[in-house]
């Protein structure tokens, strides 16, 4: 789990669940935009009709769930599949390493009763638009769709992340 970014190990303090701060989240999202845009650019020529069917199935499953944990898990699996399709193992490993803590915190936030459910619900449905741009659009359109997708996440995180951390620190 530590290698996946979900927990932090410290030989002096033990192991604990990852806890990011808004500055770290912003930094991760900045790096993610650059790397994931490149992953989409590299993946685009590798997408066959069979892979289109696979990716559409992943998004259907993602959009069908109301369970916050399952939603984040499916979201991570979808993005990870795109990284695999890039054919660049270093890029894939780097994206997993960089984004795993963010996806872990997203699971915790979505699972929290204190989290603003309206903001969470607003993200449902946007993956279909992203997928169609990747599957049917030109390469630059697909890359821009990914950038927009991550920027929307940055906005949602920016609106809710500090409130969430404040709420859990006050409990």
């Amino acid at each position: 789990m530590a290698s996946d970014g979900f927990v932090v190990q410290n030989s002096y303090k033990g192991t604990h669940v990852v806890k990011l701060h808004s500055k770290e989240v912003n930094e991760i999202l900045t790096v993610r935009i650059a790397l994931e845009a490149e992953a989409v650019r590299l993946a685009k020529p590798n997408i066959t009709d069979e892979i289109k069917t696979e990716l559409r199935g992943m998004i259907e499953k993602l959009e069908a769930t109301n369970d916050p944990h399952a939603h984040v898990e499916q979201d991570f699996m979808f993005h990870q599949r795109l990284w695999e399709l890039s054919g660049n193992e270093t890029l894939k490993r780097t994206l997993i390493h960089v984004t795993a803590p963010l996806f872990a915190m997203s699971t915790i936030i979505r699972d929290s009763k204190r989290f603003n459910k309206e903001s969470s619900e607003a993200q449902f449905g946007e993956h279909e638009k992203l997928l169609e741009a990747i599957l049917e659009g030109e390469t630059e359109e697909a890359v821009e769709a990914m950038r927009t997708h991550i920027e929307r996440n940055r906005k949602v995180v920016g609106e809710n992340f500090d409130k969430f951390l404040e709420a859990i620190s006050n409990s």
Side-chain angles (χ1 to χ4, degrees):
M1 290 289 276
S3 64
D4 294 331
F6 297 110
V7 296
V8 176
Q9 292 179 325
N10 181 313
S11 56
Y12 300 108
K13 296 181 182 180
T15 302
H16 60 279
V17 175
V18 68
K19 181 179 176 185
L20 300 174
H21 298 283
S22 57
K23 181 178 185 285
E24 292 168 301
V25 170
N26 193 46
E27 290 172 356
I28 289 169
L29 290 171
T30 298
V31 170
R32 181 180 175 198
I33 288 170
L35 296 179
E36 197 153 1
E38 182 61 16
V40 167
R41 183 182 320 285
L42 294 171
K44 189 89 169 99
N46 300 326
I47 297 176
T48 63
D49 287 341
E50 184 178 311
I51 291 170
K52 285 181 180 183
T53 301
E54 174 193 355
L55 292 173
R56 284 190 172 111
M58 292 177 88
I59 293 304
E60 285 175 19
K61 192 172 180 180
L62 169 69
E63 297 296 335
T65 185
N66 290 323
D67 175 73
H69 180 76
H71 181 86
V72 173
E73 184 177 309
Q74 290 297 316
D75 189 12
F76 188 66
M77 287 171 43
F78 168 72
H79 286 274
Q80 191 171 2
R81 182 66 175 121
L82 290 175
W83 308 336
E84 290 170 0
L85 290 168
S86 77
N88 185 321
E89 285 298 313
T90 301
L91 181 60
K92 176 185 139 189
R93 279 191 314 272
T94 302
L95 275 161
I96 290 170
H97 177 75
V98 166
T99 63
L102 186 60
F103 278 94
M105 281 299 296
S106 183
T107 300
I108 294 166
I109 291 171
R110 283 180 181 270
D111 228 12
S112 171
K113 291 182 179 15
R114 294 181 186 96
F115 182 64
N116 181 340
K117 298 292 183 193
E118 291 174 16
S119 293
S120 177
E121 296 295 325
Q123 291 185 52
F124 287 85
E126 79 174 47
H127 283 89
E128 290 173 356
K129 294 176 198 167
L130 171 64
L131 181 63
E132 286 312 307
I134 291 170
L135 299 185
E136 305 303 334
E138 297 296 321
T139 300
E140 285 308 312
E141 184 182 348
V143 167
E144 189 55 36
M146 183 57 76
R147 285 185 184 123
T148 300
H149 173 74
I150 298 169
E151 283 294 342
R152 259 192 229 119
N153 286 340
R154 183 192 307 253
K155 183 178 184 286
V156 170
V157 167
E159 292 171 354
N160 295 291
F161 197 77
D162 288 332
K163 287 191 283 186
F164 171 78
L165 290 177
E166 183 180 322
I168 62 170
S169 68
N170 290 333
S171 29

